[in-house]
């Protein structure tokens, strides 16, 4: 069974009109989780994307990014919701498909010029990913690529990210559904 078939779709969550793609069914399945990590690992071993560290976006980006950091032998830096990081932070507000939010990173999380693979579970509007990229750049890092399990191209996030000059890689797309 492919990765896509292990992702549950939940209508009208978190609000009416949104079809939520739930990866918890994918990552609770040991074969599904292994498929995700193995496919991402293979992609980055074979495709020559040069990066020094993985930055994962709270919370599902921690799961994928942490495992990927291990398989690729890279460090891991968290981007978190406000008030969760203990040292000095930089913040970034952003728009969601269903509201606004804010994320933070430690001011000393990256060295100047350090190349980053930004990881999250799902790309919808691109708001969270672009906010995380802005944080990476605020602390001196450079986004080498953004990686996702799921891309929802019809919502437009991938287009926004590409228009900003970033590269995107995803394992599966849900289009026109």
């Amino acid at each position: 069974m492919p990765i896509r078939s292990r992702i549950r779709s939940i209508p009208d969550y978190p609000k009416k009109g949104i079809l939520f793609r739930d990866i918890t069914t994918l990552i609770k399945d040991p074969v599904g989780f292994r498929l995700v990590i193995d496919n991402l690992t293979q992609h980055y071993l074979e495709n020559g994307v040069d990066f020094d560290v993985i930055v994962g976006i709270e919370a599902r980006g921690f799961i994928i990014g942490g495992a990927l950091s291990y398989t690729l032998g890279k460090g891991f830096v968290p981007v978190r919701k406000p008030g969760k990081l203990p040292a000095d932070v930089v913040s970034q507000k952003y728009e969601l498909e269903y509201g606004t939010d804010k994320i933070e990173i430690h001011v000393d999380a990256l060295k100047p010029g350090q190349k980053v693979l930004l990881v999250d579970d799902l790309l919808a509007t691109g708001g969270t990913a672009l906010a995380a990229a802005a944080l990476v750049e605020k602390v001196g890092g450079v986004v080498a690529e953004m990686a996702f399990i799921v891309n929802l191209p019809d919502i437009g996030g991938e287009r926004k990210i590409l228009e900003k000059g970033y590269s995107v890689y995803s394992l599966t797309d849900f289009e026109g559904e």
Side-chain angles (χ1 to χ4, degrees):
M1 288 175 61
I3 289 169
R4 181 185 168 102
S5 67
R6 290 175 164 89
I7 298 169
R8 173 173 46 194
S9 297
I10 301 172
D12 298 323
Y13 182 85
K15 72 176 198 176
K16 190 162 181 58
I18 294 175
L19 183 57
F20 187 82
R21 303 301 180 168
D22 178 19
I23 68 147
T24 63
T25 51
L26 170 65
I27 62 176
K28 80 175 182 179
D29 175 354
V31 173
F33 189 57
R34 182 177 292 270
L35 281 170
V36 167
I37 300 307
D38 287 353
N39 280 320
L40 286 169
T41 299
Q42 207 57 40
H43 172 77
Y44 288 104
L45 289 175
E46 292 176 354
N47 290 294
V49 176
D50 181 29
F51 64 94
D52 306 304
V53 65
I54 294 174
V55 171
I57 302 170
E58 188 168 340
R60 292 174 209 88
F62 294 179
I63 298 164
I64 305 310
L68 196 55
S69 291
Y70 175 77
T71 62
L72 294 173
K74 304 288 184 177
F76 179 82
V77 172
V79 166
R80 301 220 50 196
K81 294 176 182 174
K84 301 290 185 178
L85 294 170
D88 292 337
V89 298
V90 177
S91 300
Q92 182 71 37
K93 288 185 180 181
Y94 64 99
E95 298 282 326
L96 291 166
E97 187 177 1
Y98 45 85
T100 62
D101 212 341
K102 185 164 82 169
I103 53 176
E104 299 177 336
I105 192 170
H106 279 133
V107 295
D108 62 354
L110 301 169
K111 296 174 187 155
Q114 200 167 22
K115 295 181 206 114
V116 167
L117 173 63
L118 195 58
V119 178
D120 205 0
D121 65 324
L122 185 134
L123 173 57
T125 66
T128 309
L130 288 170
L135 285 176
V136 164
E137 292 166 357
K138 281 181 181 181
V139 299
V142 177
V143 177
E145 188 162 80
M146 297 184 192
F148 306 91
I149 297 171
V150 176
N151 178 23
L152 305 175
D154 294 344
I155 296 177
E158 180 181 30
R159 181 179 27 79
K160 287 180 196 169
I161 288 170
L162 294 172
E163 286 172 358
K164 293 277 186 181
Y166 299 111
S167 177
V168 174
Y169 179 73
S170 60
L171 295 177
T172 190
D173 290 354
F174 282 87
E175 291 186 83
E177 298 169 48

